Amino acid sequence: MDQVGAKLLEEIAGLHEIPEGAYNIRENGKSVGRSSTEEIEIIPKDNGKGIDIHIKPGTKNKSVHIPVIISQSGLKEVVYNDFYIGEDCDVTIVAGCGIHNGGKDSSQHDGIHSFFVGKNAHIKYVEKHYGSGDGNGERIMNPETIINLGEGSFMEMDTVQIKGVDSTIRKTSAVLEKDAKLVVMERLMTHGKQKAESYFHVELNGDGSGANVVSRSVAKESSYQKFVSDLEGNAACSGHTECDAIIMDEAKISAVPQLEANHPDAALIHEAAIGKIAGEQIIKLMTLGLTEEEAEAKIVDGFLQ
Amino acid sequence: MLELKNISFSVSEKKEEIGILKNVNLTIEDGKFIVITGPNGGGKSTLAKVIAGIEKPTEGQILWNGEDITQWSVTDRAKAGISYAFQQPVRFKGITVFDLIQLATGNRITVEEACRYLAEVGLCAKDYVRREVNASLSGGELKRIEIATVMARATKLTVFDEPEAGIDLWSFQKLIGVFEKLHEVNNGSILIISHQERILNIADEIVMIADGQITARGRKEDILPDILEKTASCSCQYYKEPAGLE
Ligand SMILES: Nc1ncnc2c1ncn2[C@@H]1O[C@H](COP(=O)(O)OP(=O)(O)OP(=O)(O)O)[C@@H](O)[C@H]1O
Ligand SMILES: [Mg+2]
């Protein structure tokens, strides 16, 4: 792997070297490193368009890394990764995609991730998107996450896209059975002419299920963001979704809440707030000696922490 | 030394000029401990904001160690050694107490150092240092964090806007210690806006501001009787003296 690849890998997965445990590293459309363990088996799909990841029931405190990097301008791919997570597992899955585009053609990665989470399993899913390169070619990522949460299971999903992705359409859908819980934290920053759209659809089908979908975003310059969150309560469940956005310059943001309660004991809440950085926050930091620009940068950084 | 010369501040509302500060003259010498008091709406916070550069006076001049800083930005004044603790501290999503204290010091600091400032304002540091300065903090906690940040700056002049507001009795005693310490260390001047007699007690000088003007100044013994008289009366036709005072 060259320096560009190594840099991308570090940005999206915090990896400096070959990760511990199970991993699959995909570079420019091909797997360049793969390792299974006793408990976590990674099997490539026959058509070469993705992998199946099987995690044995009861696997605890283990991690799987499946980063994707693209440095070849003009490469477009659709990849299917399916996760089968056994009962009672407690695992961390780190995915993510970095595109370096130094050329004039657009590069695109559409990762479709399906999760089948067994009873009482706990998973943390971390996904980071990053783009770099000074070519005119666009960097496009359209991730799709399909989540099936079995009884009593818990999934925490953390997605970050802070820099360099020109266009994103993210779709996340989840179905929750009895007592399953889903917590999603999406962090997003767009600038220049970037566009990012994020759609959530969560079906709370089991009694005692709960979902919390939170998006924090900053839209700068003439970028555009759209956040659509749709919670469907089909049982005695609780759902909360929140979109909190800072708008700057000439950016545009649209937040579309949707709640559907199909059961009398479904409790659903939606909160959405879009606004500029509060003037008093900037002033407070200026009284500590920061310039206006430094104050703004600090506030944005903190907000997206 | 800070000198305010003929400071006026007015705002226009519905084509009408409203004078909020009127021809205020005040000098704060190095190492002095001055308390400003006076009725609500008298213009105290506005004066503090004029000093910090948050509001620009419509008329008059501000000198800092002899240099005219009237047109200086908030940042430049902060860098020149002026600190201001807000009456209503600002909340931030995602910025931690540690971040704020670190920014205030202008250096990289350790968690232990940050904790020391928090301990001085009576906050059990370990519980707070990693918390976000967001809506989850209580009013009194936020106020103390605000005080800790200006302490961390340790500048030549610190303006506190009603630091005692919302602070419990036990912490209040600590607070007095904080002022005394700031005062001793680097011979800093302190300007406190306060309604608390215990703070008035330790001032070198008390300045009374009412209706945008300095109406009295001097030592506590001379000023206090005057203050009680002024704040007890009101010319508003709907105002009724509390029963028992008539
Ligand atoms: N930007 C503004 N526009 C209009 N009125 C203002 C503005 N700023 C301050 N005022 C008014 O000026 C007066 C003085 O306000 P200021 O906050 O300085 O009072 P204060 O003495 O600090 O009062 P308190 O003891 O209640 O804190 C008030 O009547 C306030 O409503
Ligand atoms: Mg005030």
Side-chain angles (χ1 to χ4, degrees):
Chain A
M1 187 171 296
D2 60 6
Q3 273 203 335
V4 171
K7 168 89 166 67
L8 290 175
L9 210 52
E10 189 185 334
E11 282 289 342
I12 60 165
L15 292 178
H16 302 279
E17 48 198 42
I18 297 297
E20 265 182 48
Y23 64 88
N24 181 74
I25 300 171
R26 185 181 175 95
E27 187 184 19
N28 294 324
K30 289 186 293 287
S31 172
V32 295
R34 178 180 308 134
S35 168
S36 294
T37 63
E38 174 82 11
E39 295 155 306
I40 303 172
E41 196 181 6
I42 302 180
I43 306 166
K45 287 188 191 293
D46 292 340
N47 59 9
K49 288 188 165 181
I51 47 179
D52 288 340
I53 297 110
H54 293 270
I55 304 180
K56 275 194 187 151
T59 304
K60 303 263 187 218
N61 301 320
K62 292 285 153 53
S63 61
V64 191
H65 286 81
I66 52 155
V68 172
I69 53 182
I70 296 176
S71 53
Q72 178 190 328
S73 182
L75 187 96
K76 291 187 182 179
E77 61 178 4
V78 183
V79 174
Y80 296 83
N81 296 332
D82 297 332
F83 297 82
Y84 299 90
I85 297 150
E87 293 181 4
D88 297 312
C89 284
D90 188 350
V91 291
T92 300
I93 297 164
V94 182
C97 177
I99 298 182
H100 179 91
N101 195 343
K104 60 179 182 9
D105 301 319
S106 36
S107 304
Q108 179 168 346
H109 174 82
D110 296 353
I112 297 155
H113 291 186
S114 301
F115 291 87
F116 303 92
V117 183
K119 265 192 188 171
N120 300 322
H122 262 234
I123 67 167
K124 181 171 174 137
Y125 175 54
V126 182
E127 190 191 77
K128 205 165 169 184
H129 286 169
Y130 175 79
S132 63
D134 44 18
N136 287 326
E138 290 209 323
R139 298 173 293 260
I140 304 168
M141 295 183 200
N142 298 317
E144 193 169 337
T145 311
I146 300 154
I147 302 167
N148 298 281
L149 288 180
E151 195 177 316
S153 64
F154 174 86
M155 177 160 169
E156 181 185 345
M157 174 172 166
D158 221 326
T159 72
V160 181
Q161 181 174 312
I162 301 293
K163 240 182 153 167
V165 180
D166 296 302
S167 165
T168 293
I169 297 177
R170 169 189 295 283
K171 288 185 186 150
T172 306
S173 62
V175 175
L176 279 70
E177 288 176 28
K178 188 170 179 296
D179 297 324
K181 299 273 184 302
L182 173 69
V183 174
V184 180
M185 177 79 196
E186 176 184 77
R187 280 166 296 170
L188 181 65
M189 188 181 83
T190 52
H191 57 97
K193 291 186 163 55
Q194 294 174 353
K195 278 194 165 72
E197 297 180 23
S198 187
Y199 300 85
F200 287 92
H201 178 82
V202 179
E203 289 174 34
L204 296 150
N205 289 349
D207 283 349
S209 60
N212 188 14
V213 177
V214 176
S215 159
R216 275 201 184 174
S217 70
V218 176
K220 294 185 181 177
E221 296 162 4
S222 45
S223 63
Y224 171 78
Q225 294 180 5
K226 182 171 183 179
F227 175 78
V228 179
S229 179
D230 176 12
L231 301 187
E232 202 181 299
N234 301 321
C237 61
S238 60
H240 174 249
T241 167
E242 181 182 328
C243 159
D244 202 346
I246 292 180
I247 185 163
M248 296 167 81
D249 313 309
E250 287 85 49
K252 291 194 169 73
I253 301 177
S254 113
V256 187
Q258 196 174 329
L259 302 179
E260 285 174 61
N262 300 317
H263 189 283
D265 292 319
L268 306 174
I269 300 173
H270 186 283
E271 294 176 83
I274 303 172
K276 282 199 296 212
I277 295 176
E280 58 169 14
Q281 292 183 333
I282 294 177
I283 287 173
K284 176 66 216 180
L285 296 188
M286 287 171 76
T287 65
L288 301 181
L290 277 69
T291 64
E292 193 172 338
E293 295 72 33
E294 287 165 347
E296 218 172 71
K298 195 81 211 168
I299 293 162
V300 166
D301 273 6
F303 186 72
L304 293 174
Q305 272 292 303
Chain B
M1 184 170 75
L2 183 81
E3 295 165 86
L4 302 177
K5 296 190 162 173
N6 306 312
I7 293 292
S8 295
F9 177 74
S10 52
V11 293
S12 36
E13 242 169 49
K14 294 177 194 138
K15 288 186 188 152
E16 214 182 317
E17 281 282 291
I18 307 168
I20 292 170
L21 292 173
K22 300 161 193 165
N23 207 27
V24 172
N25 286 286
L26 182 68
T27 299
I28 303 168
E29 276 165 51
D30 289 347
K32 278 281 181 293
F33 190 134
I34 296 190
V35 174
I36 295 184
T37 194
N40 293 138
K44 303 179 297 297
S45 292
T46 307
L47 187 66
K49 287 176 190 161
V50 164
I51 293 171
I54 296 167
E55 300 284 9
K56 290 271 149 68
T58 11
E59 271 169 75
Q61 249 191 334
I62 307 167
L63 303 184
W64 175 236
N65 298 327
E67 194 172 355
D68 188 333
I69 61 163
T70 319
Q71 298 307 323
W72 286 24
S73 68
V74 176
T75 310
D76 290 339
R77 292 186 207 203
K79 285 184 172 154
I82 296 176
S83 296
Y84 173 42
F86 287 26
Q87 181 171 6
Q88 272 138 358
V90 182
R91 297 176 197 261
F92 297 88
K93 279 184 189 160
I95 295 185
T96 63
V97 173
F98 176 80
D99 293 336
L100 215 53
I101 293 177
Q102 172 152 283
L103 286 174
T105 62
N107 293 311
R108 296 213 149 269
I109 57 167
T110 61
V111 173
E112 284 69 40
E113 281 171 273
C115 287
R116 238 182 290 140
Y117 293 111
L118 291 174
E120 287 193 71
V121 294
L123 287 177
C124 181
K126 283 263 179 305
D127 299 346
Y128 287 96
V129 74
R130 289 287 164 206
R131 277 185 67 178
E132 288 183 27
V133 188
N134 63 15
S136 73
L137 289 167
S138 80
E141 288 166 348
L142 193 65
K143 196 77 186 182
R144 289 193 257 176
I145 290 162
E146 178 81 0
I147 293 165
T149 54
V150 297
M151 274 180 62
R153 283 177 48 75
T155 49
K156 272 287 178 191
L157 171 68
T158 309
V159 181
F160 291 94
D161 201 341
E162 297 194 23
E164 76 275 11
I167 299 230
D168 60 62
L169 278 175
W170 183 82
S171 309
F172 190 82
Q173 204 48 47
K174 279 213 146 187
L175 201 59
I176 303 267
V178 165
F179 302 142
E180 281 166 347
K181 188 163 169 196
L182 262 183
H183 198 190
E184 278 162 28
V185 178
N186 78 351
N187 194 29
S189 323
I190 296 181
L191 180 68
I192 300 186
I193 297 169
S194 176
H195 303 291
Q196 263 287 336
E197 200 177 341
R198 280 208 279 170
I199 291 180
L200 300 184
N201 281 340
I202 56 171
D204 293 324
E205 191 185 2
I206 296 169
V207 176
M208 160 97 172
I209 292 185
D211 194 22
Q213 288 165 303
I214 295 182
T215 54
R217 61 193 298 178
R219 295 193 55 82
K220 183 197 160 216
E221 307 78 80
D222 312 325
I223 296 292
L224 218 51
D226 191 42
I227 290 175
L228 292 174
E229 187 187 316
K230 283 239 167 52
T231 46
S233 63
C234 173
S235 56
C236 173
Q237 55 171 319
Y238 300 108
Y239 181 79
K240 290 243 179 356
E241 290 285 340
L245 279 183
E246 283 162 299

